[in-house]
Amino acid sequence: MSKQGQHGENLFATRCTAPGVQAQAVVNPSLNDEHGWDHVVEIELPQEVTRPADLRTPILTCYAQIKTTRGTRPKRTVKLSNALKAVRSPAPSFVFLLHYRPSGEIDFYGRHIWTDEIERTLKRAREAGESDLHRLTLALTFNDDDRLESPPPDWMIQQLPTTDGLAYTDAKRSLVQSVGYDGNPWVGTVTIGPMESMDDIVLHEIGVIEDLPFSTLRVMDCRFGIEVEDPSMSMEGGRISMMREGRPLTVRMTSQDGETFSVPALAWAPISVAPGSPDFKVRAKAGPIDLVFGGVGKEPFSLRVDWAGRYTLLELFALFATRLWSSPGPMRIDLEAYEGELMSGSLTIHEELENWFSQAWQCARFVLDILGRERCAATSMTIAQFGEAMKSVHAVAAIQTSGSIRIEAVFPDDLPEFDTLAFYSCAQIGEWAVGTIHEMPVRAKADDGDRTTFYFSQPSVIDQQVYKRSIEVARTAVSDAFAAYRKGAERVAHVGDGDLPSWIAHRSEDSDIMITVGD
């Protein structure tokens, strides 16, 4: 060691133990600095004397490498092998530089081996490949921010993110293991096959086929964009899944009558074939609906339905519309993104349609009107649970979505004239309890002997209340609101107590119809 180097190490040790140092330190020089450590600095941290000895903070052990220079700039090099050891050591590591000026003054600099130095060292080591790191160097240039204005032990404590030894080790290990990978530490090559056709790869890319066979697989570590030639993993034969995340878009369905319904979905397209290829396919999934667009032009969609699981109300409604509109077929389907329409096609299901889907879509339209798209998009349930909810919704939905209502009966001669029939209803849809008040204008009236028939126009909702509580709460609230509504209404009639859907659901064919006009 040169006299300058010896002087620098002695001066460092002196400053660590000089009077005025707040953190007490013991400096142990290295007798063999093959690994780059000139001193091991053991720092006694402040203690809470009231704590038991076994719970007190242990001594902080740090490694220090001392460099000196008489150059014009505060700059030195360290061996890359030693820099890598400092990076990979779990203990705090520092490099100190004593810059001897011609005037005789000595500037004292220090650098904690942390984020920037860790990244530079690891990148330089990866670039070196199989070269002898002992023969390579890493330049360290110090600036005014690195100048020590306090004794080394006090300054060293200030540089650490934590003085908890275990926490420091974990933080450093996490940094060393993540830097340079940009979230993806692996690259690889895979030989797919054997397969019967290219169609299998396309179907896997869009998620229809879960996995594919492969003959060889090689996975290499890739850091700073530099791959390691020797694979970290190598396999001969097996199955592999390479599914990508779907892209959000909107599926818009249109019936032959022009009625439309839109639902958010995720879509997948292959990268192995171009859009103009006969093998090109696109998959769109919205809850239970799984659509595959198969090929060039306006080709039909194919449909798969997942009947299990919980889905948003919007997704369930899309299923009801799809099943209802595609049975007479064809139903138009458009896939739309922010940029506009991506593709369109048609869907026809050649199966007998169950009446339940017609009733479910009728209920869905009413629920969507009352709850709104935002609540329907945030509320999830199974198909079976919505079937249960239909029991309280179907009657009012049937009335509300009908073109007209007819009531025929023998009414008393003194029945006052009225222009409107009003009613209220209650329903429970998942966590939501809803109450609504409706009006049906009298469209026509016909007398046939002692029987009178009233014809009413399609109802309109004049008041609605939505609660995230039980149906009893909504029933009480809407019943009170309906009573208040009747007090101020003129030439308005109601059946029974005003709950027309409940009255219809429980009446028999020969039941009396009691119509009250006014309050």
Side-chain angles (χ1 to χ4, degrees):
M1 180 185 299
S2 66
K3 291 183 178 180
Q4 178 179 294
Q6 185 64 57
H7 178 268
E9 291 192 15
N10 291 339
L11 182 57
F12 172 79
T14 299
R15 290 197 175 187
C16 285
T17 56
V21 179
Q22 295 183 5
Q24 300 300 311
V26 175
V27 182
N28 295 306
S30 173
L31 300 179
N32 185 347
D33 62 353
E34 181 179 353
H35 298 304
W37 318 125
D38 294 315
H39 289 83
V40 176
V41 183
E42 297 177 324
I43 303 175
E44 295 184 23
L45 299 170
Q47 301 290 339
E48 296 182 20
V49 295
T50 57
R51 303 190 73 187
D54 61 306
L55 297 179
R56 295 178 186 174
T57 306
I59 290 175
L60 179 65
T61 301
C62 304
Y63 294 115
Q65 186 175 17
I66 314 302
K67 295 289 185 179
T68 62
T69 183
R70 290 185 181 273
T72 57
R73 299 174 59 195
K75 178 180 180 180
R76 280 299 304 269
T77 61
V78 296
K79 291 180 180 180
L80 185 57
S81 58
N82 289 339
L84 188 59
K85 292 171 185 175
V87 164
R88 300 175 72 173
S89 170
S93 301
F94 297 85
V95 177
F96 293 92
L97 176 67
L98 282 73
H99 186 197
Y100 293 81
R101 292 191 176 188
S103 62
E105 296 180 351
I106 301 175
D107 293 329
F108 213 119
Y109 298 92
R111 180 78 57 80
H112 175 216
I113 305 302
W114 199 237
T115 305
D116 293 342
E117 308 310 322
I118 287 175
E119 182 173 356
R120 290 183 60 227
T121 302
L122 292 175
K123 185 176 183 180
R124 184 79 173 89
R126 177 56 64 95
E127 293 170 340
E130 298 181 0
S131 302
D132 184 0
L133 301 188
H134 194 67
R135 296 178 179 275
L136 302 177
T137 60
L138 188 71
L140 287 179
T141 301
F142 296 81
N143 53 49
D144 288 342
D145 292 337
D146 302 314
R147 192 186 299 271
L148 266 70
E149 304 294 346
S150 57
D154 300 337
W155 177 87
M156 292 164 77
I157 292 176
Q158 295 170 4
Q159 307 310 304
L160 301 181
T162 175
T163 55
D164 183 316
L166 293 177
Y168 179 90
T169 297
D170 289 342
K172 188 173 184 181
R173 180 186 298 112
S174 176
L175 188 59
V176 170
Q177 291 176 347
S178 62
V179 68
Y181 284 116
D182 295 329
N184 184 18
W186 310 108
V187 297
T189 60
V190 58
T191 303
I192 301 296
M195 293 179 301
E196 295 183 0
S197 69
M198 183 67 187
D199 200 47
D200 287 348
I201 294 180
V202 173
L203 291 175
H204 173 66
E205 286 186 282
I206 64 176
V208 176
I209 295 178
E210 185 176 352
D211 53 32
L212 293 174
F214 69 86
S215 55
T216 60
L217 174 66
R218 302 286 183 271
V219 178
M220 283 75 70
D221 184 282
C222 182
R223 197 173 214 174
F224 302 107
I226 305 172
E227 300 176 17
V228 175
E229 293 185 3
D230 185 30
S232 303
M233 182 177 68
S234 178
M235 295 179 63
E236 305 294 330
R239 300 192 70 85
I240 189 171
S241 176
M242 300 177 289
M243 182 68 178
R244 295 178 297 141
E245 291 186 1
R247 174 186 176 184
L249 51 65
T250 299
V251 175
R252 179 163 56 88
M253 296 157 286
T254 305
S255 72
Q256 290 189 356
D257 297 332
E259 189 174 2
T260 63
F261 187 80
S262 298
V263 62
L266 292 177
W268 294 263
I271 59 175
S272 59
V273 295
S277 168
D279 295 315
F280 185 79
K281 292 179 174 62
V282 172
R283 176 186 176 215
K285 190 174 191 308
I289 302 174
D290 204 339
L291 296 162
V292 176
F293 178 83
V296 181
K298 306 297 184 179
E299 297 290 335
F301 282 86
S302 61
L303 173 68
R304 299 185 304 166
V305 177
D306 181 3
W307 297 100
R310 294 176 63 87
Y311 307 105
T312 68
L313 288 178
L314 282 185
E315 292 168 343
L316 289 179
F317 298 167
L319 172 62
F320 304 153
T322 300
R323 190 66 185 87
L324 182 65
W325 296 345
S326 62
S327 289
M331 176 186 77
R332 179 184 172 88
I333 298 178
D334 296 282
L335 304 185
E336 301 172 339
Y338 176 78
E339 300 85 353
E341 182 182 301
L342 299 179
M343 59 182 57
S344 62
S346 61
L347 175 67
T348 302
I349 298 180
H350 302 284
E351 296 178 6
E352 184 178 351
L353 179 67
E354 298 178 22
N355 187 51
W356 185 86
F357 282 103
S358 178
Q359 297 174 356
W361 176 241
Q362 198 174 54
C363 293
R365 292 168 61 189
F366 175 75
V367 171
L368 185 61
D369 287 341
I370 300 304
L371 290 185
R373 287 187 66 90
E374 186 175 340
R375 289 194 185 104
C376 288
T379 304
S380 300
M381 61 178 60
T382 65
I383 295 176
Q385 287 171 337
F386 187 78
E388 283 296 312
M390 284 174 57
K391 295 177 180 179
S392 65
V393 175
H394 180 250
V396 64
I399 297 172
Q400 187 64 27
T401 57
S402 62
S404 62
I405 302 293
R406 178 174 61 89
I407 296 180
E408 180 182 348
V410 177
F411 295 100
D413 295 334
D414 60 348
L415 180 67
E417 292 290 330
F418 62 95
D419 302 321
T420 302
L421 181 68
F423 65 93
Y424 72 89
S425 68
C426 295
Q428 184 84 46
I429 305 108
E431 61 187 354
W432 303 105
V434 299
T436 52
I437 298 177
H438 311 247
E439 284 185 346
M440 292 191 299
V442 177
R443 183 163 55 90
K445 175 184 175 184
D447 294 314
D448 184 8
D450 60 348
R451 300 187 68 83
T452 301
T453 302
F454 288 95
Y455 297 90
F456 300 94
S457 300
Q458 185 173 5
S460 60
V461 177
I462 63 169
D463 187 21
Q464 63 187 55
Q465 302 177 34
V466 180
Y467 301 92
K468 213 170 188 178
R469 300 177 68 179
S470 67
I471 192 171
E472 287 75 17
V473 175
R475 190 180 304 281
T476 300
V478 74
S479 177
D480 292 344
F482 186 72
Y485 158 81
R486 292 202 324 263
K487 289 181 179 179
E490 295 182 1
R491 297 174 63 89
V492 174
H494 62 274
V495 175
D497 67 348
D499 188 351
L500 181 60
S502 179
W503 177 83
I504 292 176
H506 295 94
R507 70 179 289 270
S508 61
E509 201 169 305
D510 56 351
S511 297
D512 292 334
I513 301 178
M514 186 173 69
I515 292 183
T516 304
V517 180
D519 186 14

